[in-house]
Amino acid sequence: MPVPGVTRDPLRRAYEVVIVGAGLQGLALAYELAKRGLRDVAVLDRGYPGVGASGRNGELIRSAFGTPEWVGFFGASLARWRELSAELDFNVLFTPAGYLVLASTDEELERCRGYAARHRELGVATRLVTAAEALELAPALAPERVRGGVYQADGGFAHHDAALSGYARAAARLGAELHPFTEVTAIRTSTGRIEGVETTRGTISAPVVVDAAGGGARAVAALAGVEIPTRTFRLEAIVTESLAPFLRPGLALLNVLGYCHQTTRGELVGGTDQRRMDEADCLRCTLRNLRDTAQKLVAMMPRLAGVRVVRHWAGTVDVATDFAPVLGPVDELEGLVLDCGWLYGFAGAPASGLLLADSIVTGRIPPLAAPFSLARLREGRPIRESSLVVDTEAAG
Ligand SMILES: Cc1cc2nc3c(=O)[nH]c(=O)nc-3n(C[C@H](O)[C@H](O)[C@H](O)COP(=O)(O)OP(=O)(O)OC[C@H]3O[C@@H](n4cnc5c(N)ncnc54)[C@H](O)[C@@H]3O)c2cc1C
């Protein structure tokens, strides 16, 4: 079956914008550029659309973070998720079933109390919930592992394949070209400007090249001689057989550094991060991680004991030292645009597509995207977001 939206025509020799990477970031941006009237947009991928982390993630979406920068950006993205199915004319299965950050200890509950207070200051609608309320929201949890939590009622999840298909089809309808199996092997520059790219299918000229290469983003930037201070980490997730509905909201489990949700098809999708994230650029799944995730999810939700795991995969993410995305132009090289450093790049894609498209078309960086510049990292101004459910020392 052909992959939705892919182009059958030959690769042209010139485009206005070349996007490297057909993950959700690259596809959302292609759609937004085409929607703004750009007719010469090409998305190139060394594999097929969604082969990267965009087709391998936990699908969770929230905007309840602890810094104005994250809240502003992910709030805009959440708003966009709500309208996406109608706009793309494709059901991306966005399900605002709630997002519960669960505390299993008194110390974690204190953290949640702090998160909820911060959310109030930042105008994000969450509420601190008691153990009884958390169990009402997610009755499958083991009561002895529940102390309470913080709940965002309008968070939730979508389906990653549906979101990829929706954006790919809509971008193609508007004239963007999506070329799979086209690896970018070099970036051509001259006197501080981008001239184009070399690919396994020939040379293309383009004044604007966007690095949306996910786990490969640092390597792609290096092709242009630009160093971005990110590191590549490997994450794993599992999918169970389909189960009768038992879990409504998405869960972030502070105690086990885990997350999960039950899809509309009944599968539980989830994962746990190791105490130290695995710095690696490969897609190998490990028995260690499978066992870790299974044991922790069963401990949190005993009814999962004996349930079969039907899929298990790994994906890579490129994360900056402060775990925030790296977006926008690069001072020393005109025409290079970064759309990388994505840890929560599934949730964030609708906003980044829109904001980066605006910035490419107008030449002005929208205020919501401006804080995420490469310059912040170079100049030692990291964004200190404290409510990520990962081991934030891992990339320190
Ligand atoms: C297990 C796991 C769970 C996750 N859970 C969540 C979650 O719940 N919520 C959330 O928001 N995020 C989550 N993420 C992160 C999220 O998936 C990523 O941040 C997001 O998918 C990044 O999208 P992207 O388009 O930037 O990158 P990708 O989807 O990785 O796409 C990059 C593309 O670039 C291509 N590429 C690379 N180099 C080249 C080259 N030289 N030439 C051409 N093409 C190239 C690759 O083939 C790939 O298709 C998770 C990730 C993983 C792995």
Side-chain angles (χ1 to χ4, degrees):
M1 199 176 84
V3 179
V6 299
T7 310
R8 289 158 188 276
D9 298 334
L11 200 58
R12 283 188 274 146
R13 291 295 147 232
Y15 293 91
E16 276 176 274
V17 180
V18 164
I19 299 170
V20 189
L24 202 61
Q25 291 293 330
L27 294 173
L29 177 58
Y31 166 73
E32 297 286 355
L33 286 169
K35 189 178 153 189
R36 282 157 183 71
L38 267 71
R39 288 289 164 262
D40 284 330
V41 176
V43 189
L44 314 180
D45 201 289
R46 64 185 172 194
Y48 53 87
V51 67
S54 295
R56 299 162 182 270
N57 54 59
E59 306 179 327
L60 292 175
I61 296 167
R62 65 167 158 150
S63 64
F65 291 101
T67 50
E69 294 90 346
W70 279 70
V71 165
F73 192 96
F74 285 87
S77 221
L78 180 58
R80 197 94 182 94
W81 274 108
R82 287 191 205 109
E83 60 198 23
L84 215 50
S85 295
E87 177 165 336
L88 300 180
D89 193 21
F90 192 89
N91 191 351
V92 300
L93 296 172
F94 173 62
T95 311
Y99 185 104
L100 175 65
V101 178
L102 187 82
S104 297
T105 65
D106 289 342
E107 186 269 327
E108 288 163 13
L109 187 57
E110 272 317 295
R111 272 168 65 194
C112 287
R113 203 182 301 282
Y115 295 156
R118 190 74 184 124
H119 298 154
R120 263 195 309 281
E121 284 168 23
L122 294 168
V124 189
T126 64
R127 62 188 169 96
L128 192 70
V129 294
T130 61
E133 287 169 321
L135 281 167
E136 214 169 286
L137 290 165
L141 288 164
E144 70 279 11
R145 306 293 299 253
V146 177
R147 282 293 286 116
V150 60
Y151 180 60
Q152 178 175 15
D154 61 354
F157 44 87
H159 193 290
H160 49 220
D161 294 332
L164 285 157
S165 289
Y167 269 125
R169 285 169 199 261
R173 264 198 314 270
L174 294 176
E177 293 185 10
L178 170 48
H179 291 278
F181 304 108
T182 308
E183 181 168 1
V184 171
T185 52
I187 296 183
R188 297 160 77 97
T189 65
S190 169
T191 57
R193 298 174 72 99
I194 287 283
E195 290 205 318
V197 295
E198 283 173 24
T199 80
T200 43
R201 293 174 60 209
T203 301
I204 300 171
S205 18
V208 177
V209 171
V210 182
D211 179 358
R218 188 163 28 96
V220 167
L223 294 177
V226 172
E227 195 184 328
I228 49 171
T230 55
R231 286 156 72 186
T232 308
F233 291 97
R234 198 178 55 86
L235 306 175
E236 297 180 37
I238 62 168
V239 183
T240 70
E241 62 187 311
S242 188
L243 304 163
F246 73 96
L247 177 64
R248 183 77 184 133
L251 296 180
L253 307 162
L254 289 179
N255 198 249
V256 295
L257 277 185
Y259 58 88
C260 61
H261 74 281
Q262 189 176 21
T263 69
T264 36
R265 287 205 313 202
E267 304 146 323
L268 188 86
V269 177
T272 48
D273 292 327
Q274 304 300 308
R275 284 290 155 190
R276 291 200 75 77
M277 279 158 67
D278 190 7
E279 192 170 349
D281 187 15
C282 72
L283 295 179
R284 194 167 39 86
C285 294
T286 61
L287 183 59
R288 184 183 59 131
N289 192 289
L290 174 63
R291 195 186 292 128
D292 186 75
T293 300
Q295 283 175 346
K296 286 174 176 166
L297 291 183
V298 168
M300 297 301 299
M301 287 178 282
R303 60 157 292 149
L304 292 175
V307 164
R308 278 173 294 205
V309 171
V310 294
R311 286 193 296 286
H312 175 207
W313 61 61
T316 59
V317 288
D318 213 34
V319 295
T321 40
D322 62 0
F323 286 85
V326 188
L327 303 177
V330 173
D331 287 343
E332 67 272 26
L333 189 57
E334 195 181 329
L336 181 66
V337 177
L338 302 178
D339 180 5
C340 46
W342 279 110
L343 180 64
Y344 290 170
F346 179 71
S352 51
L354 184 142
L355 296 169
L356 286 178
D358 280 346
S359 117
I360 289 169
V361 169
T362 65
R364 289 188 301 277
I365 318 288
L368 285 179
F372 298 99
S373 67
L374 176 62
R376 80 171 192 279
L377 297 169
R378 289 179 168 173
E379 293 162 11
R381 293 181 281 108
I383 301 169
R384 305 239 177 249
E385 173 55 55
S386 61
S387 60
L388 308 175
V389 187
V390 289
D391 176 6
T392 45
E393 281 172 26

